[in-house]
Amino acid sequence: MPLSFRISSAPFQKRRSGFVLVAVLLASTILMTGAVAFAWFSRVQMKRLERETFAVQARSVARVVLQNIGRGLALDKNNYDSMQEEWFGVFLLPFADGWQVKLSLQPLNDRIPVNQLFLPDGETLRREMQHPWEETWKRLGRTEAASILLDFLDTNTESRLGSSEREFFPNGPVADISQFIECPEITEELLYGGENGAKGLADYVSLWSDGTVNVNIAPAHVLSLLDSRLDSRIAEYIVEERSDRPLRDWKDLEVVPGYPQELTPRLMNTLAFTSTHFEVQMYVEGSGGGRRAFRAVLAKDSRGVSLVHWEEM
């Protein structure tokens, strides 16, 4: 009788079932991982889109506010600019759909105009700026840096006495005073001040001016730079006087205690009673709690008001 064999398929079927189960589990895991990843990606994209949408909306609100400020400044025909005026200060402006803007508006021309130190030739220091510039560096204790920074800013490439030109000097106006850090002699402490309230160059100079300093805005430590006869005591009297009422013209200034009237002709090209530049800071908040900060500088002249600086913080 011939031999016959019967091979049972049960173990194979079990192994096959186990393989199919593992494959299904792996496929499920992969699909689930993909779904989770897609959901995460979608959420990230939605959040990014929400942020971008909010940023665009906040920027639009800020621009509208800025346009209206510009119109208001153009209509201001006063012969003085002072923080005593009602349109300068901090305000909260409500908008539609739950938006609001916290606004700070103030006149500038409050410090020595670092981009307006020279005559139109771009290299000759204005006579009325010579004393303020030198006095600034005396107070900072770094008189040797006065000539170096003039070489940094003037339009020629020739070294001044006591200085040396470098190939990386911009030789022209700067867009931000932080550029002075490019000069090895200027440290952050020298530029921004140190501990215990020590002043830095930024406390004495500004980019935003037509070349004059507004007597109604400048702090006493800047006013006392303008002339050797305008000492800190007289500067404090000026600040005290303008806190009660704005100084509108030279007659108002000349009655300040201690002010030498013969000083007026010397300050005619340095001191003013109005500002040509104005700083606007805006904090725009949406109904959902988002917030964006903006800073702008507006310039005003006989032709109107223009935007000269825009910054999103």
Side-chain angles (χ1 to χ4, degrees), residues 200-217:
L201 182 61
D203 294 298
Y204 294 100
V205 304
S206 171
L207 305 181
W208 311 116
S209 172
D210 64 339
T212 61
V213 175
N214 183 349
V215 69
N216 283 302
I217 302 298

Side-chain angles (χ1 to χ4, degrees), residues 220-238:
H221 69 265
V222 171
L223 292 173
S224 61
L225 289 172
L226 302 181
D227 193 276
S228 59
R229 286 176 289 180
L230 187 58
D231 59 30
S232 58
R233 178 179 58 88
I234 300 173
E236 291 291 350
Y237 283 148
I238 292 173

Side-chain angles (χ1 to χ4, degrees), residues 58-297:
R59 191 177 301 119
S60 298
V61 170
R63 289 283 187 171
V64 170
V65 171
L66 200 60
Q67 287 173 0
N68 283 282
I69 291 173
R71 293 190 185 102
L73 289 173
L75 294 172
D76 177 20
K77 303 301 182 183
N78 285 350
N79 60 348
Y80 64 93
D81 288 307
S82 164
M83 291 302 295
Q84 301 293 325
E85 296 177 273
E86 60 184 4
W87 44 82
F88 295 124
V90 178
F91 310 93
L92 188 62
L93 306 178
F95 270 72
D97 301 324
W99 288 82
Q100 65 178 12
V101 179
K102 185 178 181 181
L103 166 70
S104 170
L105 172 62
Q106 65 177 17
L108 297 178
N109 295 64
D110 57 340
R111 284 164 284 173
I112 302 302
V114 74
N115 275 342
Q116 302 289 338
L117 293 174
F118 304 107
L119 294 176
D121 63 8
E123 57 186 69
T124 305
L125 183 65
R126 291 166 53 196
R127 185 177 60 181
E128 60 269 22
M129 283 292 114
Q130 183 171 349
H131 177 78
W133 187 249
E134 292 176 353
E135 184 64 22
T136 295
W137 291 100
K138 283 182 183 177
R139 295 186 187 183
L140 293 172
R142 293 291 303 277
T143 54
E144 78 284 357
S147 295
I148 296 172
L149 259 292
L150 290 179
D151 272 337
F152 190 88
L153 292 164
D154 66 19
T155 55
N156 66 36
T157 55
E158 298 179 5
S159 298
R160 295 174 183 269
L161 183 65
S163 177
S164 60
E165 279 279 356
R166 290 75 178 281
E167 60 181 12
F168 57 83
F169 280 3
N171 292 119
V174 292
D176 193 281
I177 60 171
S178 62
Q179 287 181 246
F180 291 152
I181 294 292
E182 297 172 15
C183 187
E185 289 81 0
I186 307 301
T187 63
E188 286 205 13
E189 182 177 355
L190 179 59
L191 184 57
Y192 297 113
E195 298 179 355
N196 301 319
K199 288 182 171 55
L201 182 61
D203 294 298
Y204 294 100
V205 304
S206 171
L207 305 181
W208 311 116
S209 172
D210 64 339
T212 61
V213 175
N214 183 349
V215 69
N216 283 302
I217 302 298
H221 69 265
V222 171
L223 292 173
S224 61
L225 289 172
L226 302 181
D227 193 276
S228 59
R229 286 176 289 180
L230 187 58
D231 59 30
S232 58
R233 178 179 58 88
I234 300 173
E236 291 291 350
Y237 283 148
I238 292 173
V239 172
E240 184 178 346
E241 188 77 15
R242 79 189 188 197
S243 66
D244 294 328
R245 59 183 181 86
L247 302 177
R248 301 167 183 263
D249 52 33
W250 290 101
K251 291 181 180 178
D252 284 351
L253 182 59
E254 288 171 353
V255 298
V256 172
Y259 177 84
Q261 294 188 13
E262 66 273 12
L263 193 56
T264 294
R266 295 170 59 91
L267 295 177
M268 283 287 188
N269 294 326
T270 310
L271 211 57
F273 300 88
T274 58
S275 292
T276 57
H277 290 72
F278 303 84
E279 181 184 64
V280 185
Q281 291 191 20
M282 293 171 283
Y283 297 92
V284 181
E285 295 183 358
S287 57
R291 188 180 190 190
R292 298 280 290 188
F294 306 90
R295 176 177 178 266
V297 176

